[in-house]
Each structure stands twice: as structure tokens, then as C-alpha cells.
Amino acid sequence: MVAMSKDVRQLDRVIIRFAGDSGDGMQLTGDRFTTETASFGNDLSTLPDFPAEIRAPAGTLPGVSAFQLHFADHDIMTPGDRPDVLVAMNPAALKANLEDLPRGADLIVNTDEFSKRNLTKVGYEANPLDDGSLEAYNVHPIGLTSMTVEALKEFSITKKEAERAKNMFALGLLSWLYNRPTEGTLKFLEVKFAKNEQIMRANIAAFNAGWNFGETTEDFSVSYEIKPARLPSGTYRNISGNLALAYGLVAASKQTGLPLFLGSYPITPASDILHELSKHKRFGVRTFQAEDEIAAVGAALGAAYGGSLAVTSTSGPGLALKAETVGLGVSLELPLIVVDVQRAGPSTGMPTKTEQADLLQAMFGRNGEAPVPIVAPRSPADCFETALEAARIATTYRVPVILLSDGYLANGSEPWRIPAVEDLPDLTVEFTTEPNRPDGEFWPYLRDATTLARPWAVPGTAGLEHRIGGIEKADGTGNISYDAANHDLMVRTRQAKVDGIAATIPPTDVEDPDGLARVLVLGWGSTYGPIGAACRRVRREGLSVAQAHLRHLNPFPSDLGDVLRRYDRVLVPEMNLGQLAMLVRARFLVDAISYNRVRGMPFKAEELASVITGVIEEVNEQ
Amino acid sequence: MSESDFPSLRLVPKAREPQKAKDFKTDQEVRWCPGCGDYAILAAVQSFMPELGIARENTVFVSGIGCSSRFPYYMNTYGMHSIHGRAPAIATGLASSRQDLSVWVVTGDGDGLSIGGNHLIHALRRNVNLKILLFNNRIYGLTKGQYSPTSELGKITKSTPFGSLDAPFNPLSLALGADATFVARSIDSDRKHLTSVLRAAAAHRGSAFVEIYQNCNIFNDEAFEPLKDPATRDDFTIRLEDGAPIRWGANAEHGLYRSPGNGLVAGEVAEQGEAGLLVHDPHNDDPSHAFELSRLADISLARTPIGVFRAVDRPVYDDMMSDQLDKARATQGEGDLATLLAGSDTWTID
């Protein structure tokens, strides 16, 4: 379908937020709009934001579920600060999201839900659609529910079923408004509702009704077009962080030549990794849904002992439970990938909200000196490469590696330039199959001189039978040892092994376009987008600022101390209370400034830009 | 026994040459207390292993923490001495990813029933192909004498100077409640019986749970003495045999009967006759029979059945996991990474 009858206006970027009740299908609507947008070739970034409750009481503020999408004709870095368009399916959705809406934004409201009862439920004394309180916005009051029901009256479905299709009406309307291709959505509905033809046809009819409404109503005088983005050439797809992470693990299995084993216990927001990997049995992927977090990592460690590429996936509370087993992995010196999709803590915290407050848990959350390499992806698509890097470190150094993703990366999505399989790194692993001593003995803790890794000899290898355990081992033989000097040596050796990884990681990547910056913004993990977008804003104002973003949190890149000392000020924005800042201050004696917010949401670029500008001005005054 | 007696090990490579008990001994000094029941169990296992006829390098012992968990250090196979209570979980990952291994778990009453109780019951319900040997000495030995989850109520220990308040677990009842497919009990001091139970466990495909009464001569000496003392053992011990009437005593003079209320009742065979004797059937799909037997002995050990309580077939976790992989490859073909990464919705930028 192409909108022919109205003017089409060009835009370079748009931020849309769909908001409704948990049961209104807002995540599905957002996903579909995203897929349409991706297939059109825009750059995009998404931010799903939903409550932990599956169905909170209908029409209440805690039950509001939202999906924000930022898309553009150029390269963008974040899901956007403030929506240009808010679709509010009920009063709760309006109330919960209005604060973020800039003046002049378009506000599409489902008037059918603005009953006195629903208004009262969220504390509106008067109907905001009537009392002038929305004057600052471009309000489009539309009876989305009633028009959907009207459009579907020919179908032999219940009124409730018809009402449920209102999200497709809204999607149709927005698809018209932004000239999105619709074939994908129509095909999607055909597949999704293949088992119930009436429902399938009703949803398609609702979608078409929404599109046609846009074309005919006088409420929308123009539609918009956002040209495809000029991204580097290649084949692209849209991908979320959890999906990219799962694919990265499958790829790592192929590149290492080791069968993949995932031990996992369901936990928000990491469960999708378990769901995804459980589909890929044809790749030889074994997934084990364990009885608890401890068994999940235990089974993974057992599989690692047997020669699998072993992974456990969890979130912060689960990482706490796995700590002892990760420590065992440090002592056994077996490869293990521990994925922590961080969420707001402490304790249960806010399971569906993002945070990056597990860095120090990952660094230090074990008994004894138990160093563990840590890597963190910077964007949803980057989860793919980071998973491969975790596998490289784990298998090369025979050590558990913690990969710190977060809820925003896990559920957010962006276009991903699909890599050619032949360009993926060769991670081939060779097990030890021969004795490693001149006398024909095998010593399980005789180390590689360069990596300090011990041999990986798996059960089934004749002549290399050996026992390993969590008790301190004698250097070389691996036999039980309580010798004081030996323990001191082993503790230092395990640390030196992890420190030595720094020799194989790239130098700190600093973006300092004019080379004049006196302030460096240092980040890690999912803040890459907001920090990058903020730096762009600051530079557009004529100021100079440098950005460095760490993928490796332990060990740091070898040159990090030098890099930090080159700048007059180092600013570290984090979604925690200053964990990376604490590490760099301790390690490098650099007087880094922290900027911290723990609101369960990504930073806004605008907010960070003003913080950065403030620091630059302060430095310039000195 | 010949190799064919262990169809359960059909996926495990055979030994290249016959092996002896000494092949399974390591050069590590055994460090249990002199007189510990663990020595006898170790000797029984080491002499039994050659009978399996499988490659030594394809045998793995995994343990948790506790006196019994030092076991792997003394077996010249692959082995892992892990952390407290987690051996069944670790072994599950190993066994389900490596069907060519014979995986044994060695645990104790504290390791397996207290800190690791959850992993034990879940391994049993899944029916992972593991042989789990639980050394039950009814005490914490390595931490020097606190009561364990199998200690009797009122037990005076270092941590319970006024007597323990905990009702004890019955390990076999617990295993049966978790739907274990193989449940047996033996005694450290009875090498012949212990070997016969190990043999039956090895022949079982799926989880095998073996409780071994083990004497801790330091912190809980003579805990199982009524089953060992020649003066009492015949009257206290019921040796279960597949398909045989259940009777015991020096002259098999006691027998087990079904009471009018449908419970089990002990009687004198001379008085009640042989016709009504209960016949032991470990292969009964209904676990009630095995459960009744597991409840027969009280904490005094009077009427303690030993032997195989239950041995039934149920799909094995590792087999099913492996079958799913094979089936996926057979129906969908080998996975292609490039196709997976591309997905179904792509666009190209020149």
C-alpha cells in the first residue's frame, strides 16, 4: 500500500513511543513497527520498557507497558530521549509517559478508554482530553477500540476478540503515517494466527482499517517519509542483544570446534538466551534447564570438564548464587562463560529494568583471590562479537569469563551488519592428548609458558587420567598441597594468567575527532550509545570531548592508564554508584569524576550532554 | 560376569586389556582416619571396577565435600573433587554431554542430603545416567562431629549438646519419592554384598542411588553395629533378593507378610507358613512396594533390608537429550551458521 492522496513530508529522524496496558500488545506492536522500519533500511534503536508483572491490574500505572523506537536516515546511537509521537492506549499510559513528551509532540490517544472509571483509577480528577491540560501537544483523539470493533463487525468473533485487535489498528495507522512497508506485518499475522483463520483475518482487517483511517481522516494532513540510512554496505538485519548473544555463542561453538552446552535457570531478563539456544539442536547445542542457578553453572562446569564450550546465563541474583562454582572454575582452570544480563538490584530489585551495578560483583564476588576476566558488550548487536571474545579468552586461558550484558541491551534492538562466517575469528581448540613430561607423565597443572594456561585433557583420553579439585594444588602436578609457598605461588600465578590476557586485547579505542579534547568520557557496557550521542551533541556546540569505551573490564587494556592521564579530566557515567570509577581510581590513581543514575532506564543523551558540557566548562576555566 | 552383562555401558569404549584392582589405585596417600569405613568401600570399588570391562580413561568419579568426597583422589580414573553438595549437578552436565563416559558420584549424608539435597533429587527424577554412592555415617566427620540429616533425633553432638531437634531423613524413602529408578542399600563391612549392589547399579541404565552404611569410628562409632555384630546381625538384616520370598534370621526363620490392613508385618515362618511370604519384586513399576520396604527399619536398625529395593526402566535423560539433537539433524539437516545469522528479514545496503 502506498499513501497517495496526501502530502508526504521528509524527516531525518523520528522517535515513537507506543504505550498501553500490559495486555494491550504494545511490545508486539513495537516489534512489528521495528521490523517494518528495519526492512525499509532506516537505522534504528529500540527500548522496550515493561513491568515485571505479567498482567498487572488493568488500567493502572504499574501495568503500563511501553516500547520506544528511534529511527533515522542516518546513523543513530540511542533509542532517543523524548518521543516525537506518543501513542497512549489508556489514561494510565498517558499519565505514565506524558512527562517525557516535549512540547509540540504528536499525541495519539485512544479516547474509548478515557472513561470516568479509568481516569479515576490513575488519579485524574478531570479528563485531560477536555480540560486543556494537553494544549502544548498536537493531540489526535481517536476511538481506536470502537473503530476496530466497527471494522470487524462482519467477523464471527467476540467483541472482546475484536477489541484485542486495536493494537493492529494503531499499528496500521502509524504505518501509514510513516510510510512503512506492510508486507512483512501481513505475512507475520498470517503465520501467527495460522491456527485461527477468523482471528487472523480480523487482525489483518484491523491493520488495514488503521492504515485506511490515516489516509482518509482529516486529523492527519500529511504523512512522513524517513529515507533509508546510508550505513556501511552489507546485508543487515535487526537484532536484539539476547538474540545476538545467543548467535555469538553458536558461532563460538563452530569457531572453537566444541559442542555448546548451556546450563541455565529461568531469570528475567536473561531467559531469552535459554529459549533461543534451545531451538538450535541441529547445531549440536545442548541446553539444560537446571533446578536452580547453582546446578545451572555446576552442569556447565561439568560439561566444560568433558570438553564442551560451556555457558551459563543468568542475571545478578543468579550470579550471586553461582559465585562458589565460578570460584571452583577459577581453581580447576576450566573454560566457562558466565553471562550476566544485569538488572536493577539489590536482591530482586526491578527485574525488567536495566542497571550496570554487577561490575564489582563480577570482579570480586567470590571467596579468596579468584580473578575472572570480564567483558561487556556496548550495544545489542555488539553482544555477538563480545560472546566470541568471551569464548576466546575462556578457551585460551582455561578460565571462567563473565560477560556483563544488561536489560537494555538484552531487549533493545538495532540493525546489525551480518558478518560473513569466513571472517569470524578462528578459535580452534586443541585438547591435550599426550603426556607433557619427559618421563612420560602427565601433569595437569604444567602451564603453557606464554598464556600460563594449563592443559585441557578431557576424560576419555588414555594415559592422561588425573584428578582435579577445589583444594589447593601443587604447582605442576596438581596434587593436593597445603604448602605455604606453593599456595602463594598459585594465587599469584592465577592472577598473572588473567593479567596476561591484556597482551591480546586491542589498545583503548579513543574517539577524539579534533584531538583538542581535555575531557575524556569513559564508559562501559550499554552506556556507549547515550555517551556517544551526548558527545556528538557537545561537539555540535563547538566543544571538544573525547570518548573511550571499554569492552574489557578485567584486565583493562594495557594502555588505559596512559590514556586516562592524557586528559585533564576523566568523566565516568555509569548506571551504578561509581563502580568503574572506583576501579580506575584504585588502579591508576586518576581523579575520575563519576556521574551516576540508577533509574532503571538508559541515560538520556541530552542529560549527559549537559553534564559533559559542565565538566568541559569547568576545565576551561582552570 | 562378561561384558554383555552391562548393556548399560554400551556407549562406553571397552578396556583394551583386562584390568586389575591395582590399576585403579593412585599414588596418592589415602588420608582417611585409620579404621574408617571408607577404606573398605574404596577397596570394594577398586576391585569391582575391572569387572565392568570399560576403558579406565572413560570412567569419571565426581564428588562434593566431606570425608567421602576425597574418594576421587584415590581412583586412577578421571575425577573431580568439587564443592559442597554440587556433585550431582556437575556430573549431570558431564554425563549428559558425554555419553561415552561412565560417571560415578560419591557423596555423603551431609553433602548429598543436606547442602546438596536439591541436586540429588533432581538428578534422580531426571534419571541422568549417574551411579550415586551415598556414604551414610549419620554424622559430619570432616567438620568434626556435628549431627547430620540422617542422625537420630536427640543425638548429642558438638553442635547439639542438649540433643538434636531434627527428625532424620530416610535416604531411600527420599530417593524413591524423587522417582529414582534404581535404589539400593549396602554396608561398608560386607564386601561381597556391596560388590553385588555395585554390579547391579552399574548394570542399570539411568540414575542408580546406592546408600552405603559406613562407620565413622571417630565421631559416630558403631552406628551400624547391630548389622555387623554376629550376635544380632542375622536378626536385624533382611537381605533382599530379586524374586525371592523375603525372610531372614540365622535359619531364615522370620518372614515378611502382608497384614490384613495391607501393611507389612514380620512373622515367624514356622507359624505362618511359606505360602503367604511376601516376594520381593524390585522391577514393579509401582514404587509402593520398595517404599514400604524402605520404611521397614526404624532408627534402631531392627529389620533393615539391604540389597536392591527398586530397579525399573524409564527413559534416560542423557539419551533423550542426545536423541533430540539427532532428530533435529535428521529432520532439519546440520545447522548452517550463515543461514542462522541471516535470519529471514534482511536488507542490503550497497
Side-chain angles (χ1 to χ4, degrees):
Chain A
M1 286 182 279
V2 180
M4 300 289 286
S5 49
K6 293 184 183 175
D7 285 348
V8 176
R9 205 170 289 167
Q10 299 293 324
L11 295 176
D12 63 347
R13 65 183 194 109
V14 177
I15 300 164
I16 299 177
R17 186 182 297 178
F18 297 94
D21 207 49
S22 294
D24 283 344
M26 291 299 95
Q27 300 304 318
L28 175 78
T29 308
D31 271 344
R32 286 318 312 164
F33 196 91
T34 302
T35 306
E36 292 174 2
T37 295
S39 70
F40 186 71
N42 294 122
D43 194 12
L44 65 86
S45 175
T46 69
L47 175 65
D49 179 28
F50 46 89
E53 294 78 12
I54 304 304
R55 291 277 189 281
T60 63
L61 288 170
V64 173
S65 172
F67 187 103
Q68 184 162 308
L69 167 74
H70 180 190
F71 60 106
D73 66 359
H74 57 277
D75 154 42
I76 52 170
M77 304 189 77
T78 74
D81 291 357
R82 297 170 177 282
D84 302 307
V85 185
L86 172 66
V87 180
M89 300 298 281
N90 66 11
L94 177 67
K95 187 154 197 184
N97 291 284
L98 196 59
E99 182 187 36
D100 291 339
L101 210 59
R103 304 174 73 84
D106 281 303
L107 176 56
I108 297 171
V109 182
N110 179 13
T111 53
D112 292 323
E113 290 293 323
F114 280 64
S115 64
K116 186 150 194 323
R117 187 163 167 272
N118 285 351
L119 290 165
T120 312
K121 223 186 257 183
V122 294
Y124 275 124
E125 280 171 14
N127 189 340
L129 300 177
D130 303 333
D131 69 1
S133 61
L134 302 177
E135 270 175 3
Y137 312 105
N138 191 8
V139 182
H140 307 274
I142 301 169
L144 287 171
T145 313
S146 52
M147 287 172 64
T148 305
V149 171
E150 176 66 19
L152 304 185
K153 65 179 180 221
E154 304 298 325
F155 291 87
S156 50
I157 57 174
T158 66
K159 182 158 179 263
K160 205 163 183 185
E161 285 168 334
E163 286 177 353
R164 209 174 284 157
K166 63 181 179 292
N167 63 333
M168 285 301 116
F169 188 98
L171 179 62
L173 173 59
L174 271 289
S175 299
W176 169 82
L177 191 58
Y178 292 101
N179 286 282
R180 302 288 93 184
T182 60
E183 299 78 11
T185 293
L186 298 177
K187 211 177 285 172
F188 168 84
L189 292 172
E190 282 171 16
V191 174
K192 182 173 169 65
F193 297 112
K195 286 192 182 136
N196 190 333
E197 208 196 325
Q198 280 296 313
I199 298 285
M200 180 228 289
R201 288 180 46 223
N203 272 280
I204 292 173
F207 179 83
N208 288 335
W211 178 287
N212 294 335
F213 173 74
E215 219 167 23
T216 50
T217 182
E218 289 176 7
D219 205 10
F220 295 100
S221 52
V222 293
S223 73
Y224 301 96
E225 187 176 75
I226 297 87
K227 290 230 157 56
R230 288 174 300 276
L231 299 172
S233 67
T235 302
Y236 285 78
R237 63 174 288 171
N238 189 50
I239 199 157
S240 71
N242 273 349
L243 186 59
L245 188 45
Y247 283 3
L249 294 170
V250 174
S253 167
K254 180 167 187 298
Q255 297 307 101
T256 54
L258 304 176
L260 188 64
F261 183 98
L262 174 77
S264 190
Y265 186 77
I267 185 169
T268 301
S271 304
D272 280 342
I273 298 169
L274 169 62
H275 303 162
E276 184 61 34
L277 287 176
S278 66
K279 295 177 194 166
H280 301 299
K281 306 203 182 301
R282 57 195 295 206
F283 287 86
V285 178
R286 284 178 159 82
T287 52
F288 171 65
Q289 182 178 316
E291 59 270 24
D292 59 31
E293 295 281 359
I294 300 172
V297 65
L301 191 63
Y305 183 56
S308 288
L309 179 66
V311 184
T312 187
S313 52
T314 188
S315 186
L319 185 64
L321 285 164
K322 293 177 197 295
E324 189 192 13
T325 311
V326 175
L328 177 64
V330 170
S331 179
L332 297 181
E333 305 193 36
L334 284 171
L336 177 69
I337 299 171
V338 180
V339 176
D340 173 7
V341 185
Q342 301 164 96
R343 66 189 213 190
S347 189
T348 306
M350 302 195 288
T352 59
K353 308 296 179 188
T354 197
E355 203 161 278
Q356 49 181 176
D358 291 348
L359 176 57
L360 295 184
Q361 180 182 209
M363 276 296 287
F364 303 121
R366 287 165 298 284
N367 63 304
E369 295 287 355
V372 160
I374 303 167
V375 292
R378 58 170 60 176
S379 73
D382 189 48
C383 289
F384 180 81
E385 268 184 58
T386 307
L388 281 162
E389 175 64 357
R392 179 189 75 84
I393 295 173
T395 55
T396 307
Y397 294 88
R398 318 273 148 86
V399 66
V401 174
I402 296 180
L403 188 160
L404 291 177
S405 178
D406 67 31
Y408 164 48
L409 296 179
N411 292 316
S413 67
E414 65 178 351
W416 177 44
R417 186 160 61 142
I418 303 163
V421 170
E422 54 273 22
D423 294 341
L424 298 178
D426 179 8
L427 304 175
T428 309
V429 168
E430 299 207 4
F431 296 131
T432 300
T433 55
E434 299 293 334
N436 54 3
R437 293 278 302 166
D439 58 3
E441 279 193 33
F442 172 67
W443 284 11
Y445 279 79
L446 196 60
R447 296 171 189 281
D448 178 271
T450 312
T451 60
L452 298 182
R454 74 174 192 91
W456 193 6
V458 300
T461 314
L464 306 190
E465 293 84 1
H466 64 278
R467 278 65 55 194
I468 53 176
I471 297 184
E472 186 60 280
K473 291 151 287 284
D475 181 37
T477 64
N479 290 331
I480 291 180
S481 170
Y482 296 102
D483 181 79
N486 176 75
H487 177 57
D488 190 84
L489 172 72
M490 291 297 273
V491 166
R492 291 175 195 280
T493 304
R494 286 185 287 261
Q495 183 67 51
K497 181 175 81 164
V498 171
D499 292 344
I501 297 167
T504 64
I505 63 183
T508 312
D509 181 19
V510 183
E511 193 187 289
D512 184 0
D514 57 13
L516 299 172
R518 298 176 65 192
V519 172
L520 172 75
V521 187
L522 178 70
W524 68 280
S526 74
T527 53
Y528 175 71
I531 294 174
C535 287
R536 286 181 184 180
R537 284 180 189 226
V538 169
R539 291 177 194 133
R540 276 202 298 273
E541 298 301 316
L543 298 172
S544 296
V545 64
Q547 182 189 8
H549 210 78
L550 298 174
R551 166 178 284 171
H552 297 90
L553 282 314
N554 192 38
F556 288 131
S558 310
D559 65 343
L560 183 60
D562 294 337
V563 168
L564 300 183
R565 287 183 206 102
R566 283 210 297 269
Y567 293 88
D568 294 330
R569 268 277 183 254
V570 175
L571 171 68
V572 189
E574 292 180 88
M575 294 186 291
N576 58 43
L577 295 185
Q579 302 195 1
L580 175 63
M582 180 187 286
L583 292 179
V584 296
R585 291 175 74 100
R587 184 69 56 84
F588 305 115
L589 286 176
V590 165
D591 188 15
I593 317 169
S594 263
Y595 180 73
N596 312 110
R597 285 290 181 273
V598 279
R599 294 172 300 193
M601 295 289 278
F603 284 114
K604 289 182 162 53
E606 181 186 2
E607 160 197 13
L608 280 183
S610 89
V611 172
I612 295 168
T613 303
V615 174
I616 294 172
E617 283 169 354
E618 196 183 302
V619 168
N620 287 346
E621 281 164 19
Q622 284 167 1
Chain B
M1 271 196 166
S2 66
E3 284 174 17
S4 60
D5 290 321
F6 296 99
S8 57
L9 297 169
R10 64 179 186 277
L11 299 176
V12 183
K14 301 282 175 280
R16 287 173 302 282
E17 51 193 42
Q19 297 183 310
K20 299 194 174 66
K22 71 170 174 51
D23 296 324
F24 286 88
K25 292 180 178 155
T26 64
D27 59 358
Q28 296 296 295
E29 184 192 352
V30 183
R31 294 193 198 175
W32 288 311
C33 307
C36 176
D38 289 353
Y39 283 96
I41 304 173
L42 176 64
V45 172
Q46 284 170 336
S47 15
F48 162 70
M49 292 308 290
E51 214 182 282
L52 295 176
I54 55 170
R56 194 157 44 86
E57 65 268 21
N58 286 69
T59 307
V60 186
F61 280 80
V62 182
S63 65
I65 292 292
C67 292
S68 60
S69 288
R70 294 296 178 98
F71 201 92
Y73 288 117
Y74 311 133
M75 291 295 297
N76 191 14
T77 60
Y78 281 85
M80 187 196 291
H81 177 215
S82 73
I83 44 176
H84 209 6
R86 318 303 169 201
I90 291 169
T92 292
L94 181 61
S96 60
S97 60
R98 290 286 305 273
Q99 289 185 294
D100 61 330
L101 302 178
S102 169
V103 182
W104 297 69
V105 170
V106 177
T107 182
D109 40 316
D111 189 60
L113 298 173
S114 201
I115 193 167
N118 197 34
H119 308 308
L120 179 71
I121 56 174
H122 287 279
L124 295 175
R125 82 166 160 91
R126 288 190 186 104
N127 203 27
V128 183
N129 197 16
L130 300 174
K131 311 304 156 205
I132 302 171
L133 311 182
L134 185 144
F135 300 6
N136 182 5
N137 56 16
R138 298 186 172 175
I139 198 78
Y140 281 133
L142 199 60
T143 49
K144 301 188 177 175
Q146 300 81 13
Y147 74 102
S148 90
T150 54
S151 298
E152 59 274 21
L153 187 66
K155 190 169 188 71
I156 308 283
T157 71
K158 268 188 197 149
S159 59
T160 52
F162 296 92
S164 144
L165 306 176
D166 289 25
F169 257 143
N170 177 325
L172 297 194
S173 300
L174 181 77
L176 289 163
D179 249 340
T181 52
F182 182 98
V183 174
R185 176 191 286 144
S186 192
I187 305 175
D188 56 3
S189 56
D190 189 341
R191 164 83 72 100
K192 194 169 160 219
H193 186 269
L194 176 55
T195 304
S196 74
V197 166
L198 292 174
R199 187 178 294 127
H204 178 74
R205 189 154 181 85
S207 293
F209 178 78
V210 180
E211 179 190 26
I212 304 170
Y213 283 160
Q214 173 248 325
N215 191 46
C216 172
N217 57 321
I218 304 295
F219 296 109
N220 201 21
D221 197 19
E222 303 195 341
F224 305 103
E225 202 50 23
L227 305 178
K228 301 179 178 185
D229 182 351
T232 54
R233 69 181 176 205
D234 292 334
D235 279 338
F236 274 66
T237 315
I238 303 176
R239 292 171 179 268
L240 299 172
E241 281 175 46
D242 186 1
I246 301 174
R247 52 195 297 179
W248 68 101
N251 301 303
E253 65 272 30
H254 316 300
L256 205 55
Y257 298 89
R258 179 107 12 234
S259 74
N262 213 29
L264 294 183
V265 62
E268 296 310 303
V269 180
E271 293 165 17
Q272 304 201 28
E274 294 190 3
L277 280 166
L278 196 69
V279 173
H280 181 47
D281 177 14
H283 310 298
N284 194 335
D285 267 344
D286 180 352
S288 316
H289 168 67
F291 192 80
E292 280 180 315
L293 292 174
S294 78
R295 310 304 292 180
L296 203 57
D298 60 28
I299 201 80
S300 78
L301 297 171
R303 295 194 301 269
T304 297
I306 60 170
V308 178
F309 287 61
R310 179 169 168 79
V312 297
D313 282 331
R314 185 150 64 79
V316 175
Y317 187 81
D318 340 2
D319 293 345
M320 291 191 290
M321 186 183 254
S322 182
D323 287 349
Q324 282 194 341
L325 265 55
D326 293 344
K327 203 176 203 175
R329 283 172 163 140
T331 55
Q332 307 165 5
E334 189 74 26
D336 178 68
L337 186 58
T339 308
L340 176 74
L341 300 187
S344 52
D345 274 324
T346 61
W347 68 98
T348 302
I349 294 176
D350 297 323

